[in-house]
Amino acid sequence: NPMGVACEYTGVALGAVVNQADNDVQMFDTRTLQPVDNLGIGTLTQKYPVGENPIDVVFTPPIPGAGIFALIVSQGGEDNPKGSVALWNNNTGGIFSATSGAVLGSVEEGLNIPGRPIYDWVNGLAFWVPNTGGDDMAKVDIVIQGGSLFTTIQPQVNVRRTVGDNPTKMTYTG
């Protein structure tokens, strides 16, 4: 059951689709709708497991030295009724290349049936996720810790802002 689809929007022909029944996300070449075979970012043919009932995905633009990130939102199910978000990364060079094409981690804390995410253009390494089962939005930061040898990258909820009952989506206005 394909549910959410996103495209990386700054020149890389990379797309992603979340598969609700399979609890995974798969990357694809937006020009051919086939698995990614190079594009300057390597080969991405496998499906990446994420949380229960994924509904949407959003990309960052390419970040120098860190690559491209995607945040996958899962609304939850029997094992995790409040949902979660997973952070995917692809980088073919630099200090983070060992984590290329991988789900780096997920977070459940501070989420309550998350809705459609948005990349935070103002704060850079962050996303906003509405908590459709609550009354707030959660800011999910990409937290990079360590140095060049022992670096970890994880998603982390750092800020929550009350906005009213059952928000489903956020947008920036101009």
Side-chain angles (χ1 to χ4, degrees), residues 109-134:
E109 186 72 31
L111 299 173
N112 187 4
I113 311 174
R116 306 281 181 196
I118 186 171
Y119 172 66
D120 188 340
W121 284 93
V122 176
N123 294 305
L125 294 176
F127 304 88
W128 283 96
V129 179
N131 280 316
T132 65

Side-chain angles (χ1 to χ4, degrees), residues 28-147:
F28 63 90
D29 183 329
T30 58
R31 299 166 302 170
T32 64
L33 302 182
Q34 298 297 313
V36 175
D37 187 18
N38 203 340
L39 297 177
I41 59 172
T43 301
L44 307 171
T45 57
Q46 73 270 33
K47 294 180 179 182
Y48 302 93
V50 294
E52 291 178 275
N53 196 22
I55 63 158
D56 210 357
V57 56
V58 64
F59 284 103
T60 66
I63 298 169
I68 299 169
F69 291 93
L71 189 76
I72 301 97
V73 173
S74 299
Q75 287 198 316
E78 289 182 22
D79 294 331
N80 180 7
K82 291 207 172 205
S84 63
V85 295
L87 183 66
W88 177 89
N89 176 246
N90 185 70
N91 189 8
T92 56
I95 62 173
F96 303 121
S97 62
T99 60
S100 294
V103 172
L104 303 179
S106 63
V107 64
E108 300 169 8
E109 186 72 31
L111 299 173
N112 187 4
I113 311 174
R116 306 281 181 196
I118 186 171
Y119 172 66
D120 188 340
W121 284 93
V122 176
N123 294 305
L125 294 176
F127 304 88
W128 283 96
V129 179
N131 280 316
T132 65
D135 65 355
D136 63 355
M137 305 281 289
K139 181 179 171 215
V140 179
D141 290 317
I142 300 171
V143 178
I144 301 172
Q145 296 177 325

